[in-house]
Amino acid sequence: MKDTVIKPFHAVIFGGDGDLSKRKIIPAFYHRFVDGQLKMPFQIICISRSLDDEADFKKVLTEFISKTIEKGAALEKIDEFMDHLELMKVPKTNQESFEVLKTAIEKESDWQRVFYFSVPSGAFSEICNTLKDVNLLNDKSKVVLEKPLGFSLKSSREINAIISDAFQEKQIFRIDHYLGKETVQNIMVLRFANHLFERAWNADNIESIQITVAERLGVEKRAGYYDKTGALLDMVQNHLLQILCLIAMEPPSNLDPDTVRNEKLKVLESLRFFDKESIKSNVVRGQYTRGTVTNEKVNSYLEDIEEYNSETETFVAIKAYIDNWRWKNTPFYLRTGKRMKKKYSDIVINFKTMPHNIFQDSKHPLKNKLIIRLQPEERIELVQLSKIPGPGGYRFKPISLKLDFVDTFKERMPDAYERLIIDILRGNQTLFMRHDELEAAWKWIESINSNWSKQIPLDLYESGSWGPGDQVLDGNDEWQTK
Ligand code: BG6
């Protein structure tokens, strides 16, 4: 039996006054607290370089938390929650400044210590070294890392070396918030708890798989970060590849974190690399121009970032192959873009047509499609052909069998961060990327970005469209007609 009891803890959030902390991390703790999962003693310490007005900070946090509360629910436990939270001004990353943190943590020396690095990776080394210097690291410590973990294989290795010098792999939690989304986790259940699909889950029966994450938003206020990153590193290197792993991996023999991660690693290691030639017909990159999104006129990417020479992509489409027995020659289409017409993420499994057609008059190809909708609504849909009632032969219509999570499970859908935070506190690493997974993902990504700038053009697309029109590879029917 796995230990599911959460031991008392200190959670120290570096970048505690940052956007992610206010929008996601603290509200996630709040919801778990309200749901009664944090009954043990705990303290959340939000580290800020400049803020010291705790009352004001808590007011701001309360506003952020209230945005995540559904209609009708109250903030009734907010004061009780805020008693577990403190703002700590630590202006510098050095031993002297960390003394105040040390004193606070050592008051309860046997609690677990969760150090949450919600800061750019350039700051990791100094924080790790200072934590070591003031003797705050012990076997009860954990570290949580937010992406981006580097901008290349080389820099990711450097970051890893720094972290591994201070923490053992079992203490390191690399967050990919997509893995905390309910429907993403449900992929495992769908595949490995239902007889129906797994038998057909291979190249013999599946024609193609499409994984799409379309966003309406542009680059927002993250120009500095995004322009160095682009859609490939911001979305594909982590979120889309993680989804791909869950869809494509072999059944693990149990749910042990390393058993699951071993299977995901095999998928990443089987991805076919691109070279100067293959990239030309299998990868598209684009950048948004001015346009209209949900009736609102929006600027181009270059205007958004106020840097007119940038060639950073805000859209990428990739036709990928996994070279193993199960997926021989089955294309996996990975697509993501900002300033698209709609926000939605889904996985579409396109099954092959029936081997023989006895309904010669049918206008519809005889095949099924399984749609796993991750957001905005969470749903699984099986598209199948049905006979239109009435005399006069066989006329077909594709209809959907829908499992709508919101209708079926009336309770509120927890945010991805809530699940991940609980797993961190319990020490369950299944939903966190292991070092070798990250490395394998980087190797494949480098086969794209080391080849693409010279080999494929940057296509401009209008905001509010579906990306660089005709050039988004084949197998495109779903995408263009959403
Ligand atoms: C983040 C990216 O990891 O994921 C953002 O950095 C992106 O650019 C976001 O907007 C999308 O997350 P979600 O949960 O809204 O699909």
Side-chain angles (χ1 to χ4, degrees):
M1 220 9 217
K2 283 254 153 52
D3 184 11
T4 52
V5 178
I6 299 176
K7 309 237 168 65
F9 66 91
H10 274 115
V12 181
I13 307 175
F14 292 94
D17 55 344
D19 194 51
L20 184 71
S21 168
K22 289 186 291 204
R23 273 191 315 110
K24 293 287 184 184
I25 305 172
I26 306 288
F29 275 109
Y30 176 72
H31 285 289
R32 291 300 90 218
F33 178 72
V34 172
D35 280 2
Q37 243 178 335
L38 302 181
K39 289 196 174 131
M40 71 299 302
F42 74 94
Q43 195 67 10
I44 300 169
I45 303 175
C46 294
I47 305 283
S48 165
R49 282 188 169 259
S50 53
L51 304 186
D52 54 10
D53 186 339
E54 187 172 277
D56 188 56
F57 180 63
K58 288 186 174 177
K59 220 168 100 200
V60 174
L61 281 183
T62 306
E63 280 162 27
F64 273 92
I65 291 172
S66 62
K67 281 189 207 155
T68 66
I69 292 192
E70 277 150 35
K71 272 193 209 128
L75 275 171
E76 81 245 14
K77 292 213 167 174
I78 195 79
D79 293 338
E80 209 185 313
F81 175 73
M82 287 296 173
D83 289 343
H84 289 275
L85 193 139
E86 74 186 83
L87 174 69
M88 188 176 281
K89 183 171 168 186
V90 179
K92 294 205 170 114
T93 310
N94 60 27
Q95 285 200 38
E96 199 190 332
S97 299
F98 271 40
E99 280 306 321
V100 48
L101 177 62
K102 184 175 162 73
T103 312
I105 289 187
E106 285 184 345
K107 268 192 220 146
E108 305 293 348
S109 59
D110 55 341
W111 287 12
Q112 39 170 336
R113 301 171 179 181
V114 178
F115 298 104
Y116 199 128
F117 291 5
S118 180
V119 288
S121 55
F124 289 1
S125 166
E126 250 191 326
I127 300 178
C128 278
N129 288 336
T130 317
L131 287 173
K132 265 198 287 185
D133 292 345
V134 294
N135 270 330
L136 271 179
L137 301 185
N138 61 17
D139 59 354
K140 294 195 188 73
S141 309
K142 291 170 181 165
V143 66
V144 185
L145 307 176
E146 279 290 344
K147 76 168 186 53
L149 297 176
F151 291 94
S152 61
L153 177 60
K154 182 168 171 284
S155 57
S156 137
R157 280 182 174 156
E158 284 162 7
I159 293 168
N160 199 61
I162 291 160
I163 299 292
S164 319
D165 205 35
F167 298 90
Q168 296 168 42
E169 186 62 33
K170 65 174 188 218
Q171 299 176 300
I172 306 174
F173 293 77
R174 300 177 186 85
I175 280 213
D176 181 321
H177 77 278
Y178 266 60
L179 289 180
K181 289 186 191 269
E182 280 297 328
T183 338
V184 175
Q185 286 170 45
N186 213 9
I187 296 172
M188 296 261 282
V189 180
L190 180 81
R191 289 191 55 198
F192 306 132
N194 292 291
H195 204 271
L196 191 60
F197 296 117
E198 195 47 31
R199 301 283 146 170
W201 211 259
N202 52 45
D204 292 342
N205 299 292
I206 292 177
E207 191 175 87
S208 73
I209 294 187
Q210 315 224 356
I211 302 175
T212 302
V213 178
E215 298 188 85
R216 244 190 318 230
L217 291 180
V219 67
E220 308 302 294
K221 293 185 180 135
R222 300 158 78 214
Y225 155 76
Y226 196 87
D227 203 46
K228 273 203 280 169
T229 317
L232 183 70
L233 306 192
D234 186 47
M235 297 296 289
V236 182
Q237 194 267 350
N238 33 70
H239 307 325
L240 275 83
L241 280 186
Q242 286 297 316
I243 296 175
L244 173 102
C245 286
L246 294 176
I247 290 286
M249 72 185 189
E250 293 302 314
S253 57
N254 56 50
L255 278 185
D256 184 75
D258 275 330
T259 314
V260 175
R261 296 190 294 178
N262 288 345
E263 294 304 338
K264 284 164 61 196
L265 176 64
K266 286 186 209 158
V267 174
L268 293 167
E269 289 180 336
S270 311
L271 278 166
R272 191 182 297 168
F273 281 14
F274 292 98
D275 59 27
K276 286 193 176 69
E277 274 316 303
S278 63
I279 200 163
K280 288 185 194 158
S281 49
N282 290 300
V283 179
V284 173
R285 60 191 191 118
Q287 189 187 76
Y288 63 82
T289 59
R290 284 183 189 175
T292 306
V293 184
T294 7
N295 298 325
E296 196 194 319
K297 290 211 177 324
V298 295
N299 282 338
S300 68
Y301 175 70
L302 298 182
E303 287 165 329
D304 278 349
I305 64 162
E306 295 176 8
E307 161 59 63
Y308 294 91
N309 295 320
S310 172
E311 291 238 314
T312 299
E313 80 289 350
T314 57
F315 174 95
V316 60
I318 302 169
K319 186 177 179 182
Y321 288 94
I322 297 172
D323 286 329
N324 65 15
W325 282 49
R326 187 186 279 262
W327 297 115
K328 179 109 188 117
N329 291 333
T330 309
F332 283 74
Y333 295 94
L334 308 178
R335 296 192 184 87
T336 182
K338 291 207 181 279
R339 288 279 188 240
M340 302 274 105
K341 193 167 185 171
K342 269 200 225 160
K343 174 178 169 80
Y344 82 92
S345 306
D346 67 18
I347 304 159
V348 179
I349 317 288
N350 282 309
F351 288 91
K352 287 188 170 163
T353 39
M354 298 299 278
H356 172 65
N357 183 0
I358 60 167
F359 305 103
Q360 294 298 336
D361 295 338
S362 166
K363 292 195 192 83
H364 294 281
L366 305 184
K367 56 184 185 180
N368 301 109
K369 189 192 302 202
L370 180 71
I371 304 172
I372 305 169
R373 175 63 69 109
L374 310 180
Q375 54 193 25
E377 64 290 346
E378 297 172 299
R379 186 169 75 209
I380 292 180
E381 205 176 310
L382 180 63
V383 183
Q384 56 164 50
L385 284 184
S386 179
K387 179 182 173 300
I388 299 176
Y394 285 98
R395 286 171 299 127
F396 294 122
K397 186 174 174 188
I399 57 163
S400 286
L401 292 177
K402 284 188 192 164
L403 169 63
D404 207 311
F405 287 90
V406 183
D407 290 348
T408 311
F409 304 102
K410 297 288 179 209
E411 58 268 29
R412 136 184 192 280
M413 280 283 175
D415 184 75
Y417 272 86
E418 295 178 42
R419 168 70 194 254
L420 297 176
I421 277 169
I422 293 296
D423 281 356
I424 294 163
L425 296 173
R426 284 182 176 151
N428 184 344
Q429 290 183 306
T430 312
L431 299 178
F432 299 85
M433 269 182 288
R434 205 170 55 190
H435 159 229
D436 47 4
E437 274 183 83
L438 191 69
E439 175 123 356
W442 267 118
K443 284 185 184 155
W444 183 73
I445 288 286
E446 294 235 317
S447 82
I448 302 174
N449 70 357
S450 62
N451 280 311
W452 74 356
S453 61
K454 293 202 182 76
Q455 306 303 325
I456 50 176
L458 179 74
D459 290 321
L460 300 180
Y461 63 94
E462 196 180 324
S463 289
S465 70
W466 282 127
D470 303 337
Q471 303 178 52
V472 193
L473 315 174
D474 51 358
N476 224 6
D477 46 336
E478 347 271 335
W479 171 255
Q480 304 273 319
T481 53
K482 289 276 174 192

